[in-house]
Amino acid sequence: MATETTVINQAFYLLEKDSDTWDSTDAEYLTARGFMNLGIQRWEHFDNTTWRELWTQLSIASTGQDTVSASTWTYDCPTDFVRPGGYVTTTGSDGAVTFWNVIPVEEVGKFADSTDKFTYFIGNTRSGFDLQFNPKVTLTAGSTINYPYYKTATQSSATSTVLELGDPSYLSYFIAAHMSESSDSIEGNFYTVSEGLLRQMKSKNNSSVWGVKSTVNSDLETDSGFGY
């Protein structure tokens, strides 16, 4: 795991070729942090890539509601929520797991009289997202809610922040390229390396898992064993 300090120190070595690294309160360090966060943004949105590192689940999120309350069908999503991963589960005190289908919010009207186990996500990045359960289905208070979701990339504001990228050295070269001595342009060699590392991350990200088929043989609609 690479931290902010590791990445910025590596950028320092590339730029200064010295061992006396910047202090975390130095102007150069804070500038490097700013460029690092710009590099994280570039990675996050590069070629509309869906990064595997940004898939997570509610059970390990620091925000978001994960416990069913009596007569409540709407629950806050984590603040870093972008989009759902395709299903929701509730787990009772006895360990029994119920799977809930996720439907697009624009199709909710089609299910107005349905008593099926479905949920949908509604909201936006400005005001946040909510998980909505079908209000015609009774929920068991105290059950634990969980679901996979795609998150925003973590922006760093502290030396100990752990970065999510598969190859954080991309950020070191990105910082070095933008903090090079030339004031009117970025340093070409550093930038070329950073772009190469970025594209290499995308290539690895889009590769299938060794020995595992990339097809799904069944879904929640056809597998009657999920929560029924």
Side-chain angles (χ1 to χ4, degrees):
M1 297 186 296
T3 64
E4 174 192 280
T5 298
T6 301
V7 167
I8 292 180
N9 283 349
Q10 288 176 348
F12 173 89
Y13 299 141
L14 290 169
L15 288 166
E16 304 295 338
K17 300 175 179 63
D18 193 2
S19 60
D20 188 14
T21 56
W22 298 312
D23 186 83
S24 62
T25 58
D26 289 346
E28 293 89 347
Y29 187 99
L30 297 176
T31 299
R33 174 186 287 167
F35 279 123
M36 182 182 68
N37 282 329
L38 288 174
I40 291 172
Q41 289 178 23
R42 175 159 173 71
W43 168 75
E44 180 180 7
H45 302 290
F46 181 67
D47 278 359
N48 292 316
T49 304
T50 297
W51 296 103
R52 295 181 183 182
E53 293 92 343
L54 296 182
W55 282 110
T56 186
Q57 55 184 328
L58 177 62
S59 62
I60 59 176
S62 59
T63 58
Q65 295 176 298
D66 63 357
T67 303
V68 173
S69 299
S71 303
T72 302
W73 288 268
T74 304
Y75 296 86
D76 294 339
C77 294
T79 55
D80 59 1
F81 181 94
V82 174
R83 63 178 185 268
Y87 67 88
V88 173
T89 63
T90 51
T91 304
S93 58
D94 59 355
V97 179
T98 299
F99 279 75
W100 300 73
N101 286 314
V102 176
I103 64 173
V105 64
E106 63 270 18
E107 295 186 7
V108 172
K110 299 177 182 179
F111 296 83
D113 297 319
S114 173
T115 56
D116 291 343
K117 293 183 175 67
F118 73 81
T119 61
Y120 59 92
F121 291 86
I122 188 169
N124 54 62
T125 55
R126 180 177 180 274
S127 58
F129 290 88
D130 291 322
L131 167 67
Q132 174 71 52
F133 287 89
N134 180 4
K136 291 185 177 294
V137 178
T138 300
L139 295 172
T140 302
S143 295
T144 300
I145 305 167
N146 195 28
Y147 50 81
Y149 71 95
Y150 194 73
K151 67 183 291 293
T152 58
T154 299
Q155 292 279 296
S156 184
S157 60
T159 58
S160 59
T161 299
V162 177
L163 304 172
E164 296 154 335
L165 297 78
D167 188 355
S169 61
Y170 147 73
L171 292 173
S172 299
Y173 281 93
F174 184 92
I175 294 168
H178 287 81
M179 290 185 67
S180 58
E181 292 183 1
S182 177
S183 60
D184 58 350
S185 65
I186 61 176
E187 205 284 325
N189 290 330
F190 289 149
Y191 186 74
T192 297
V193 173
S194 70
E195 286 294 285
L197 292 172
L198 180 56
R199 294 184 183 282
Q200 182 172 285
M201 280 191 286
K202 178 184 177 180
S203 177
K204 290 182 178 179
N205 182 82
N206 293 347
S207 299
S208 61
V209 179
W210 182 262
V212 177
K213 295 187 296 183
S214 59
T215 57
V216 178
N217 294 325
S218 62
D219 57 29
L220 298 187
E221 293 293 338
T222 59
D223 194 333
S224 59
F226 283 177
Y228 295 97

